[in-house]
Amino acid sequence: MTAAVEESASVRTREAALLEIRQLVVEYGAGERPARAVDGVDLAIGEGEIVGLAGESGCGKTTVANAVMQLLRPPARIVGGSILFEGEDLLGKSAEQLRRYRGRNVSMVLQSAMNALNPVMRVGDQFVDTMRAHERIDRRRALMRAGELLELVGIDRGRARSYPHELSGGMRQRVIIAMALALNPQLIIMDEPTTALDVVVQREILQQVEALKREFSFAVLFITHDLSLLLEFADRIAIMYAGEIVETAPAEQLAVSPQHPYTQGLLASFPPLTGTWTRLTGIPGSPPDLRDPPVGCRFNPRCPHCRPEDHELYVRQTTERPKLRIVAPGHEVACHLIARGSE
Amino acid sequence: MTTAAPLEVRSLTKHFAVRSAFRRTHVHAVDDVSFDLRHGTITALVGESGSGKSTVARLLAHLFEPSDGAVIFEGVDVSRVRRRQDVLRYRSQVQMIFQDPFASLNPVKTIRHHVERPLRIHGIVPPAQIEERVHELLRTVGLVPPQDIAAKYPHELSGGQRQRVAIARALAVEPRVVLADEPISMLDVSIRIGILNLMLKLKEERRIAFLYVTHDLASARYVADDILVMYAGQIVERGPIEQVLSEPLHPYTRLLLAAVPDPATKLRAQRIEARKGRASAAVDPQEGCRFVTRCPLAIDVCSRVTPELVEAQPQQAARCHVTAPAPSS
């Protein structure tokens, strides 16, 4: 039964996927015990779709992003799986092909985008460099385009003459987003793009990304630890824990019916702004060391449903890795509790 | 119930002079800020980055000297004490917890060293009892077994555990007041609640007066009794937190509340119009409300007259001509 379910899952995603990650495995470090930062991740992103990848620090979400951008450097290395962009595997492309792919097809807004700008170059010149690395365009026209792009993200075009230090954090972040749009890519990867900003600016920027997405119809892979943000912003959400995806679902569905105990714990870690006060517990313990992850389900040491009293289940939880199973259309969960319920 | 205020802040002001090539400007980082921190109470201080909230915490920790105003600790103005002995005594009563638990611990020293150092410096317990007290403190903050934890180095602990060490170290001197500057913003979501619950426990069991500096309204609501909202160096609203968050007076408080992600609604797409470059309202402020350029409710008087903090509801005050007008006008 399991095999059939997995088959149908991959057939379904193959139809319209812009990007498809299949069974990706990435390791850091060499020797007997390398750390598997990403261990068998499947993720598909359709055209114009906003997919959120959420998880705690060290769960491998940034490594997935870097793998998609083909930016992994030793000691990180891809040891298994494939990354298909419009059906073509990126692993095996030449350096020049990858250079063209970055920017034209996929661009990235980095975690510390505040520091991603060159401090001694005017903002406009940095746009010109980006554009001229990928297409034949003269300087004057490139600067014009830079001005248009800045206006798209709500920055006065005269700011093209500013140096990065003359801009606020929120403006620098918008400049980076404008730069990511410069080559009209099909997919933009955003890795914690608003984490360093305060809530008001964060909201403005996300509303703007949403508006730009409607206009230019690019897809977004949005990586964050802030699940509450994704519920509002993303079409579909994948929850990552210790190198694995443990649950994926449409955002609306995840908000109302999270199935994995880790997802439930994450959602219960955000204190509400309204309603009666209730004591929250968070999730006890901390994420595992990926050089030596727990056997069986990796969440088992922190899982409230993993108890020796329930012997049969406990044995499976501590010996067998749960697989992603479909529980509802578009909703997949990797948890032994679910498997038990459906059999 | 009336609770004594160990720490009273009166018209606290801090201006920083900023010199550039052509002119000299003054950043009014903190302007005429007054509030009390009471025993067994958590007071949240919220605002966006650059609002001056961290400067307030640092002024209270005696890391800067204020330009004006007073910090009264148990009846004595401590804002200008200079004698090392007096500063030490104040710091043994008012402790600070910083945002970054990775930077606030010495990487080459064990956890034991961090927790026992304040015990020795301030002579809290006789040397023979230090070991026992260290273990007790670690147990208090939920680091068990304390014997194992004490022997570890900071890099062997997770971010949440490190922040607990920082709290144990702050508690070592048995402070009356703890200033927590964004203590959870660098921690993983799943362990933040643990730190907030620890603050609640310490508030109840030890009657500590907490100042909780944050930009996160939801976590402020979870732990705090009172709230102070800061904008461009001034307190723009204060009151009991439940009351302020359910019926906010100041337009800035309303804006902050509206910006918090709400899983129940979908984000609206919105194009942001280009804003002309505008310096922060705290730089060489003019007469008038500092929020006026962003305010949807602004009226004529707002750009001419600086609003006062007016108690428009019982215990709830705001600095706004429209929603909290002064009684005389």
Side-chain angles (χ1 to χ4, degrees), chain A residues 56-57 152 154-156 159 198-200 202-204 206-208 210-211 214-215 225 228-229 231-234 251-252 266 269-275 277-283 285 302, chain B residues 48-49 158 188-193 196-197 200 215 217-219 221-223 242 245 252 255-263 265-278 294:
Chain A
E56 297 180 87
S57 46
L152 274 180
I155 293 176
D156 190 75
R159 285 291 187 172
D198 54 68
V199 283
V200 178
Q202 167 175 297
R203 184 167 207 85
E204 283 180 359
L206 293 182
Q207 287 177 330
Q208 198 139 37
E210 177 75 36
R214 289 190 186 179
E215 200 169 328
H225 68 275
S228 63
L229 195 70
L231 292 174
E232 226 183 326
F233 181 61
E252 297 83 14
L266 272 185
S269 298
F270 292 99
L273 257 185
T274 51
W277 192 92
T278 42
R279 187 168 202 89
L280 302 176
T281 50
I283 304 173
R302 300 174 78 185
Chain B
E48 60 194 8
S49 42
S158 69
D188 273 319
V189 173
S190 70
I191 53 184
R192 288 180 180 179
I193 287 292
L196 296 178
N197 283 339
L200 284 171
H215 63 268
L217 282 177
S219 72
R221 178 182 185 244
Y222 184 72
V223 292
E242 227 21 76
L245 295 186
Y252 179 64
L255 177 70
L256 273 182
L257 265 169
V260 176
D262 179 3
T265 56
K266 208 69 189 158
L267 190 84
R268 276 178 311 121
Q270 196 179 322
R271 286 292 283 277
I272 312 291
E273 294 305 310
R275 279 203 209 131
K276 292 287 176 195
R278 177 180 56 85
R294 295 171 70 181

Side-chain angles (χ1 to χ4, degrees), chain B residues 5-10 12 59-60 62 66 69-83 86-87 89-91 93-94 177:
Chain B
L7 200 70
E8 298 164 51
V9 179
R10 292 292 170 264
L12 194 66
L59 286 168
L60 299 191
H62 215 280
V71 177
I72 298 160
F73 180 70
E74 294 181 336
V76 181
D77 183 1
V78 291
S79 56
R80 279 165 193 82
V81 296
R82 287 245 175 77
R83 279 173 56 213
D86 295 337
V87 173
R89 198 169 60 216
Y90 176 69
R91 287 207 182 129
Q93 299 289 302
V94 180
V177 177

Side-chain angles (χ1 to χ4, degrees), chain B:
Chain B
M1 185 182 69
T2 53
T3 30
L7 200 70
E8 298 164 51
V9 179
R10 292 292 170 264
S11 299
L12 194 66
T13 300
K14 179 70 184 176
H15 296 175
F16 293 103
V18 181
R19 244 173 298 185
S20 68
F22 304 108
R23 62 201 183 103
R24 191 179 174 143
T25 56
H26 285 89
V27 178
H28 292 216
V30 176
D31 229 352
D32 193 17
V33 163
S34 302
F35 59 89
D36 292 344
L37 294 182
R38 291 171 293 138
H39 285 304
T41 305
I42 299 180
T43 304
L45 178 59
V46 304
E48 60 194 8
S49 42
S51 62
K53 55 191 196 301
S54 285
T55 308
V56 168
R58 286 177 155 77
L59 286 168
L60 299 191
H62 215 280
L63 298 177
F64 304 139
E65 204 164 274
S67 312
D68 201 3
V71 177
I72 298 160
F73 180 70
E74 294 181 336
V76 181
D77 183 1
V78 291
S79 56
R80 279 165 193 82
V81 296
R82 287 245 175 77
R83 279 173 56 213
R84 183 176 155 73
Q85 206 184 333
D86 295 337
V87 173
L88 265 184
R89 198 169 60 216
Y90 176 69
R91 287 207 182 129
S92 75
Q93 299 289 302
V94 180
Q95 282 282 309
M96 187 149 178
I97 300 163
F98 294 92
Q99 181 173 14
D100 188 351
F102 299 84
S104 63
L105 301 178
N106 185 338
V108 298
K109 299 288 188 185
T110 59
I111 301 310
R112 174 178 294 109
H113 169 90
H114 287 92
V115 182
E116 75 176 19
R117 209 168 128 83
L119 293 173
R120 287 187 198 282
I121 290 176
H122 294 280
I124 306 292
V125 290
Q129 290 172 26
I130 283 182
E131 176 90 10
E132 193 190 321
R133 179 58 68 90
V134 167
H135 291 169
E136 192 186 314
L137 284 162
L138 291 175
R139 263 195 299 270
T140 303
V141 297
L143 290 172
V144 284
Q147 293 83 345
D148 296 359
I149 300 279
K152 291 192 175 193
Y153 288 89
H155 75 266
E156 297 176 273
L157 303 182
S158 69
Q161 289 175 316
R162 268 181 268 201
Q163 200 58 294
R164 286 173 191 268
V165 171
I167 295 172
R169 175 174 63 179
L171 292 178
V173 296
E174 295 166 8
R176 316 291 296 273
V177 177
V178 172
L179 311 167
D181 188 3
E182 304 256 16
I184 59 165
S185 66
M186 294 191 63
L187 304 179
D188 273 319
V189 173
S190 70
I191 53 184
R192 288 180 180 179
I193 287 292
I195 300 290
L196 296 178
N197 283 339
L198 177 58
M199 283 170 61
L200 284 171
K201 177 181 125 176
L202 295 171
K203 157 194 131 160
E204 275 147 30
E205 290 175 3
R206 303 199 172 207
R207 310 286 301 153
I208 290 173
F210 274 98
L211 181 70
Y212 174 51
V213 179
T214 183
H215 63 268
D216 175 11
L217 282 177
S219 72
R221 178 182 185 244
Y222 184 72
V223 292
D225 304 282
D226 298 320
I227 187 171
L228 307 163
V229 181
M230 258 186 112
Y231 182 77
Q234 296 176 319
I235 288 180
V236 295
E237 182 154 7
R238 68 169 158 75
I241 193 157
E242 227 21 76
Q243 191 177 326
V244 168
L245 295 186
S246 56
E247 309 261 339
L249 288 171
H250 200 281
Y252 179 64
T253 314
R254 295 176 187 174
L255 177 70
L256 273 182
L257 265 169
V260 176
D262 179 3
T265 56
K266 208 69 189 158
L267 190 84
R268 276 178 311 121
Q270 196 179 322
R271 286 292 283 277
I272 312 291
E273 294 305 310
R275 279 203 209 131
K276 292 287 176 195
R278 177 180 56 85
S280 159
V283 179
D284 286 336
Q286 310 289 309
E287 186 66 21
C289 175
R290 293 183 187 177
F291 189 61
V292 69
T293 52
R294 295 171 70 181
C295 185
L297 306 178
I299 52 174
D300 211 26
V301 66
C302 298
S303 48
R304 285 185 286 111
V305 182
T306 308
E308 297 291 321
L309 205 52
V310 174
E311 199 158 292
Q313 295 290 332
Q315 296 182 293
Q316 185 179 0
R319 203 183 269 280
C320 178
H321 289 303
V322 180
T323 59
S328 57
S329 64

Side-chain angles (χ1 to χ4, degrees), chain A residues 264-309:
Chain A
Q264 292 167 349
L266 272 185
L267 281 168
S269 298
F270 292 99
L273 257 185
T274 51
T276 51
W277 192 92
T278 42
R279 187 168 202 89
L280 302 176
T281 50
I283 304 173
S286 44
D289 180 355
L290 291 175
R291 280 168 303 183
D292 190 15
V295 180
C297 170
R298 293 187 174 174
F299 189 60
N300 83 57
R302 300 174 78 185
C303 184
H305 306 287
C306 183
R307 295 183 308 258
E309 300 89 75

